[in-house]
Amino acid sequence: MDRGYPHPPPSYQQQSQTATGTNNVKSQEDTNKEIRLYKNAKDRRRFEDMADLYAVIKTTQHLEKAYIRDAVSADDYTEACSRLISQFKTNEKAIDIDTLDFINEYKMDCPLAVERLLTAGVPATVMHATGRASKDKTAAVIAAEATQEFITAMDVLRLDQRAVDEVQPVISSLLNSLHKTGKCMYIS
C-alpha cells in the first residue's frame, strides 16, 4: 500500500529497537538535524527581528511587574524602561507589522507591556512624576535637562545622522525630558 510516502512506516520491531537503544545512532541523527525557518537572508533577518521584538515585549512585562513589586528602584526602572521603549519602537518599524496581531498570534500574555509600549510610550515614573523628578529636582534643573536634550537632538540632525537607530534614542530622551517639564509646570 504505497500512498506516495517516501519511506514506508516503521514496523513494530523497528520501533521497539529504537526505544531500547539498539538503533540509537540513527535517532540521534534525526534529532540533531537543523531545521531552517527561512530560505534567504531577508527571511532570516525578519525572523531575527521578530525574535527581538518578542524579547523586548516579554522583558518589558517582567520589568513592569518588578517595578510594581518594588523590586527595582525608580531610577533603574526609568533607565531600563526608556531603553526598552526605544528598542521596541525601532524594532516595530523594522518589522512593519501590527504589534497587537503579533502579540495575539504568539499568545503573549503581556498586558503591562502593551500598556507601557503601545499606549503610554513613556516609563511610569515619567508619566506619574515619581522617582527622581519629584524627589530631588527643581523645575529649573528639569528645564535645563530638556534644553540639553533638545540641543543634542539638533546636533544629531546637523551631523546628518538619519538612521533610525541613531536618531530615535535621542528623540525619545528629548520627549521624556519634555514630558517631565510639562509635569513640573503643573506641579509648581
Side-chain angles (χ1 to χ4, degrees), residues 19-157:
T20 59
T22 309
N23 202 5
N24 202 14
V25 173
K26 185 177 180 183
S27 66
Q28 280 183 345
E29 288 175 7
D30 292 342
T31 58
N32 291 335
K33 191 173 184 180
E34 183 177 328
I35 299 173
R36 293 235 170 188
L37 298 175
Y38 51 87
K39 295 184 194 281
N40 54 38
K42 183 180 178 184
D43 289 344
R44 179 184 52 80
R45 193 171 35 253
R46 182 168 170 79
F47 276 108
E48 286 176 355
D49 289 342
M50 288 171 58
D52 291 341
L53 182 65
Y54 185 93
V56 167
I57 293 169
K58 288 303 248 181
T59 303
T60 303
Q61 177 70 20
H62 291 293
L63 179 64
E64 290 292 320
K65 282 189 173 192
Y67 179 68
I68 289 170
R69 293 178 181 145
D70 204 24
V72 63
S73 71
D75 294 340
D76 291 340
Y77 165 80
T78 303
E79 180 183 338
C81 192
S82 296
R83 187 177 330 108
L84 286 168
I85 290 169
S86 174
Q87 290 170 345
F88 171 78
K89 289 180 180 177
T90 303
N91 235 346
E92 187 179 38
K93 291 202 187 318
I95 296 175
D96 194 34
I97 60 171
D98 182 28
T99 307
L100 286 177
D101 289 344
F102 177 81
I103 290 170
N104 292 332
E105 181 180 346
Y106 292 101
K107 296 176 179 46
M108 299 170 68
D109 183 27
C110 301
L112 298 173
V114 168
E115 169 66 26
R116 187 65 45 227
L117 297 171
L118 295 174
T119 307
V122 293
T125 52
V126 173
M127 195 168 161
H128 303 296
T130 60
R132 236 185 302 176
S134 66
K135 291 180 182 172
D136 59 356
K137 289 189 177 181
T138 64
V141 172
I142 293 173
E145 283 183 356
T147 303
Q148 177 185 1
E149 296 292 342
F150 186 78
I151 292 169
T152 302
M154 286 178 31
D155 289 344
V156 165
L157 295 174

Side-chain angles (χ1 to χ4, degrees), residues 149-163 166-171:
E149 296 292 342
F150 186 78
I151 292 169
T152 302
M154 286 178 31
D155 289 344
V156 165
L157 295 174
R158 282 187 186 146
L159 291 172
D160 287 333
Q161 294 179 347
R162 301 288 191 244
E166 294 173 339
V167 176
Q168 198 278 331
V170 175
I171 299 298

